[in-house]
Amino acid sequence: MAAENYQADIHNSDYEAEYRAKKLDARGSINIDGRKLESLNGLWNFAPDLYDSCRRARWWSACQGAEKKAPGMNKPESSAETRMALSCKPVLGSPPEDWDFEAWETMPVPSCWNMERPEYLYFEATGIYTRTFHYHSQKKDERAFLFFEGASYTASVFLNGEYLGSHWGASTPFCVEITGSVQEFNRIIVTVDARRSPVRIPMDNTDWFNYGGLYRNVCLLRTGPSFIKDWFIRLVNGVEIRADISIEGDAAGLELEIPELNIREKLPVLDGKASLTLKTSPRLWSPENPKLYDFTLNLAESNGEDGAGGRIEDRIGFREICTRGEEIFLNGKKIFLKGICVHEDHFKLGKTTSEDIIRETIRDLRELKGNYLRLAHYPHDRRFSRIASEEGVLLWEEVPVYWAVAFDNPETREDAENQLAELVIRDRNQAAVIIWSVGNENADTDSRLTFMSGLAEKARSLDDSRLISAACLINHEKLMIQDRLGENLDIIGINEYYGWYDPDFEKLPKILNNSKPGKPVVICEFGAGARLGQRGTVDDLFTEDRQKRIYEQQTETFKTCAYIAGTSPWILYDFRCPRRLNRYQEGFNRKGLIDADRKSRKPAFYVMREFYEKMQEP
Ligand code: GCU
């Protein structure tokens, strides 16, 4: 039904109810590793939709696929006719429409609209993306899915005039089956609403830039009637490989093969599940030796077909991470996490990233003599953990339960738990990931304790092989590490800025001496701001001299504390941040050891490098 342009919606005060009713979430998660994907990236038509009119006035409902619109469209007409039919040109007798998909500007997918046109830098409303695409099924009973790797923040997906569902969360993947809706000629519309809100995850006040858009890949995934949905393969008890696989559709059996370990096991499938526990002795993955094994998963029904979800080919690393007392052990050997924090923020691309940028970040970590990264404060691009697993970099991954979250709001908790599940399902086969973090610097209340201990439990239920942490609290009156949440964590993360936000540096050694955490502590943030090239005395704020002095004091103090099992200073690169508005910051947080240009090192970089370089192996 064509939208009753502005007749129906101007009195509809709760137009969003329709969209809230259909959630795309972790229940539908598909692991896309090891599959053939068809990219829908490229130039989409785009319009800024400040009043959310496409969803409010249901513009999307007017755009049927070509067959429904013009019977003559069944053969591949000239693109002009196809475009005309799909562009929903106003038909005589219908009301004048306010959309004009084919006439709109184009926007690259993936990209952050903030970085594509100057007038969109601070645009925090809804963007409408649309394009057409052809689809021809390749196999009998083929199933088809649209897969989105990241849309910030709320994405609503429409295909050929049908509302398919909405996803909440800026940094985790989601997908939707289109088998029943896809035609030969299709129009897809995606509205992406970047508005911040006090009741979502993250809430509306953060210390990073709110980029918007379809900023990660969009692709089409084809499967057979039955397919492998997701899997979790890991080392348990040091000598056993455990595999848990989820299968969609009917399937009698599944085969797991790891040729280099002479493993070829047939697994029965019961109620869509298959699992295996097998004694073996793989070469263990570590930063020094990031050994990955080729493996395949084969549905018996798939007769080895490639890419349709009946056969998965990927690589996996086996390692074990655990804690004992106040120490962290990797494969039974005590380790110190020599790290640094990074945001997903690029001076040209915003939150959109690339393999080159990820590898450049790892090169800079290597120059710092580090082995570990805290991917703050939200799930980074899926390629990061895959490249880190190849390169031997340890990772802390985190959901953006950041600062003053609405901990007593059930929908907020549902949002947080869903984003955590989408992250864990996406990355739990990546050896590089050793820590799931359930949040950062949250005031201690009963509802926060319930909310975040619930997240810790959820993470463990999805993944029994990793450590759980969060950036916890210091009791600044008693000068000690004290946070009720700590009882639910394996590692206590601590953000502290002594020498910067609190100029009395002497509090730090007192706090460390007063505290008896009983489990490993990672100083997951410390540091100071400095504008590149700003010189002065060690007492002058925002000078490289003050930043360097604080790093010297911090690293000297860490050496005296046995229960510090890792450090990740804040932060590797200066990053865009609308709250940072003094003459030294100019819209950037300047705590980076490297300028936002991702090239120019500040003197404190070399203090941190020396600390890691001279550290005795634990
Ligand atoms: C906080 C917070 C960071 C923030 C940093 C800062 O600890 O976790 O997200 O950017 O401090 O103040 O620079």
Side-chain angles (χ1 to χ4, degrees):
M1 167 194 75
E4 298 162 30
N5 213 343
Y6 298 136
Q7 278 107 42
D9 70 283
I10 54 178
H11 307 296
N12 178 356
S13 60
D14 187 17
Y15 74 94
E16 291 186 285
E18 172 183 13
Y19 304 112
R20 280 195 302 270
K22 215 169 190 181
K23 281 189 168 61
L24 304 177
D25 57 24
R27 291 167 301 177
S29 289
I30 294 178
N31 185 334
I32 57 169
D33 289 334
R35 295 179 204 268
K36 266 189 340 190
L37 304 166
E38 295 162 66
S39 172
L40 288 173
N41 290 349
L43 291 179
W44 291 40
N45 289 102
F46 176 85
D49 184 3
L50 280 162
Y51 294 92
D52 207 12
S53 301
C54 181
R55 296 198 310 165
R56 196 190 291 269
R58 308 175 90 251
W59 291 356
W60 49 269
S61 62
C63 295
Q64 313 295 321
E67 287 71 5
K68 291 183 192 168
K69 188 87 182 170
M73 287 304 303
N74 288 328
K75 52 189 185 309
E77 297 292 334
S78 71
S79 62
E81 275 186 66
T82 309
R83 286 159 57 106
M84 186 67 83
L86 291 170
S87 66
C88 311
K89 292 303 288 175
V91 176
L92 200 59
S94 71
E97 293 161 344
D98 290 312
W99 62 86
D100 201 339
F101 299 124
E102 298 293 324
W104 285 345
E105 67 178 281
T106 57
M107 179 67 68
V109 172
S111 74
C112 301
W113 59 56
N114 320 77
M115 311 315 291
E116 292 303 313
R117 291 181 60 181
E119 58 269 37
Y120 292 156
L121 179 60
Y122 292 117
F123 180 64
E124 290 189 291
T126 296
I128 310 170
Y129 290 83
T130 184
R131 62 162 287 174
T132 58
F133 67 94
H134 294 180
Y135 175 85
H136 302 283
S137 67
Q138 293 167 351
K139 289 186 173 56
K140 182 175 174 310
D141 301 332
E142 180 174 284
R143 297 172 68 174
F145 298 79
L146 290 174
F147 194 94
F148 299 80
E149 293 205 38
S152 180
Y153 178 88
T154 308
S156 296
V157 183
F158 309 91
L159 185 69
N160 301 331
E162 184 186 348
Y163 170 52
L164 299 181
S166 296
H167 179 265
W168 283 261
S171 304
T172 47
F174 59 97
C175 66
V176 61
E177 182 156 14
I178 58 171
T179 311
S181 325
V182 72
Q183 301 166 14
E184 190 165 358
F185 301 102
N186 301 277
R187 174 168 289 285
I188 179 173
I189 295 174
V190 184
T191 61
V192 182
D193 177 355
R195 284 174 295 172
R196 288 171 288 118
S197 155
V199 292
R200 69 177 213 193
I201 297 296
M203 43 87 72
D204 55 347
N205 179 39
T206 70
D207 199 39
W208 67 83
F209 194 92
N210 180 41
Y211 294 104
L214 286 178
Y215 73 98
R216 291 183 183 159
N217 296 330
V218 179
C219 64
L220 178 72
L221 171 68
R222 296 171 197 260
T223 73
S226 305
F227 62 93
I228 297 163
K229 188 165 177 276
D230 80 81
W231 58 92
F232 182 22
I233 304 174
R234 70 280 194 197
L235 189 68
V236 294
N237 310 322
V239 291
E240 288 177 334
I241 287 179
R242 180 163 178 76
D244 292 299
I245 300 117
S246 301
I247 295 97
E248 182 72 25
D250 298 332
L254 172 84
E255 186 176 79
L256 165 62
E257 197 175 353
I258 310 178
E260 211 178 326
L261 293 176
N262 298 318
I263 291 175
R264 184 170 188 163
E265 295 287 322
K266 290 193 187 314
L267 289 62
V269 175
L270 298 172
D271 301 332
K273 300 290 181 196
S275 62
L276 165 81
T277 302
L278 193 66
K279 273 202 186 318
T280 181
S281 50
R283 271 173 51 206
L284 299 180
W285 184 96
S286 68
E288 301 72 28
N289 175 18
K291 170 65 184 170
L292 296 176
Y293 285 89
D294 291 333
F295 75 90
T296 58
L297 293 171
N298 246 328
L299 267 190
E301 288 75 7
S302 75
N303 51 55
E305 73 195 20
D306 185 7
R311 176 181 174 81
I312 303 293
E313 297 178 357
D314 203 2
R315 298 191 298 172
I316 188 97
F318 297 106
R319 53 113 190 90
E320 192 170 38
I321 189 79
C322 68
T323 64
R324 282 200 295 275
E326 296 174 337
E327 299 173 326
I328 301 173
F329 293 84
L330 178 69
N331 303 329
K333 185 169 171 281
K334 183 180 169 185
I335 57 167
F336 186 94
L337 302 178
K338 298 184 281 189
I340 192 158
C341 295
V342 284
H343 257 307
E344 195 165 54
D345 183 283
H346 189 273
F347 64 96
K348 269 196 189 137
L349 300 176
K351 196 170 162 42
T352 295
T353 191
S354 68
E355 181 168 341
D356 288 350
I357 291 171
I358 292 168
R359 292 189 185 279
E360 177 187 62
T361 304
I362 291 176
R363 281 198 303 277
D364 290 341
L365 172 72
R366 298 263 192 250
E367 187 188 332
L368 199 64
K369 306 299 179 192
N371 63 6
Y372 161 70
L373 286 167
R374 177 186 179 196
L375 302 188
H377 283 293
Y378 36 71
H380 287 215
D381 189 286
R382 61 190 284 278
R383 288 168 291 185
F384 212 119
S385 58
R386 280 131 188 92
I387 294 172
S389 295
E390 271 172 43
E391 295 284 335
V393 174
L394 300 163
L395 297 179
W396 159 311
E397 292 200 305
E398 182 165 303
V399 284
V401 176
Y402 181 92
W403 288 357
V405 161
F407 289 116
D408 49 12
N409 181 319
E411 283 189 352
T412 310
R413 178 165 180 176
E414 183 189 333
D415 186 0
E417 294 197 346
N418 182 61
Q419 291 188 43
L420 176 66
E422 288 174 337
L423 166 62
V424 173
I425 291 168
R426 185 192 76 175
D427 287 356
R428 62 187 170 184
N429 291 299
Q430 301 309 316
V433 182
I434 56 169
I435 296 168
W436 302 119
S437 165
V438 295
N440 181 77
E441 285 187 355
N442 315 92
D444 182 15
T445 62
D446 290 347
S447 59
R448 171 259 193 173
L449 182 61
T450 303
F451 186 110
M452 293 181 74
S453 54
L455 282 180
E457 206 175 301
K458 173 105 181 157
R460 291 196 178 95
S461 71
L462 289 164
D463 176 357
D464 51 8
S465 72
R466 286 179 172 85
L467 303 174
I468 312 298
S469 189
C472 297
L473 303 169
I474 289 172
N475 182 323
H476 294 284
E477 284 65 47
K478 293 183 182 172
L479 289 185
M480 63 188 297
I481 293 169
Q482 192 174 55
D483 188 329
R484 294 187 286 170
L485 181 62
E487 287 160 34
N488 301 278
L489 305 176
D490 300 302
I491 291 176
I492 295 178
I494 290 293
N495 296 351
E496 50 86 5
Y497 285 89
Y498 290 96
W500 183 250
Y501 290 122
D502 186 328
D504 179 0
F505 189 82
E506 291 321 307
K507 288 179 181 172
L508 181 60
K510 288 181 189 141
I511 287 166
L512 297 178
N513 292 333
N514 292 345
S515 303
K516 293 179 179 36
K519 51 186 69 174
V521 167
V522 170
I523 305 295
C524 50
E525 282 184 39
F526 68 91
R531 181 165 69 172
L532 182 75
Q534 189 74 28
R535 301 309 307 269
T537 73
V538 293
D539 297 322
D540 293 330
L541 288 177
F542 292 103
T543 60
E544 292 180 338
D545 312 80
R546 181 167 184 80
Q547 185 187 48
K548 179 171 181 282
R549 178 75 190 115
I550 287 169
Y551 270 76
E552 288 163 349
Q553 291 175 303
Q554 289 276 357
T555 52
E556 277 312 302
T557 305
F558 298 151
K559 292 174 186 170
T560 66
C561 184
Y563 59 70
I564 292 178
T567 55
S568 53
W570 190 261
I571 188 168
L572 187 52
Y573 307 108
D574 291 354
F575 60 94
R576 202 171 266 109
C577 181
R579 298 169 67 246
R580 304 297 177 160
L581 299 174
N582 73 29
R583 73 191 68 177
Y584 307 106
Q585 296 165 310
E586 298 170 311
F588 280 77
N589 184 313
R590 296 287 183 200
K591 295 189 182 66
L593 294 182
I594 300 176
D595 183 68
D597 68 6
R598 300 176 68 90
K599 295 272 175 282
S600 313
R601 277 96 172 108
K602 302 172 192 174
F605 179 93
Y606 301 99
V607 173
M608 201 66 213
R609 182 169 77 164
E610 187 181 353
F611 173 64
Y612 286 151
E613 195 166 36
K614 291 194 172 161
M615 180 176 290
Q616 298 302 322
E617 279 309 311

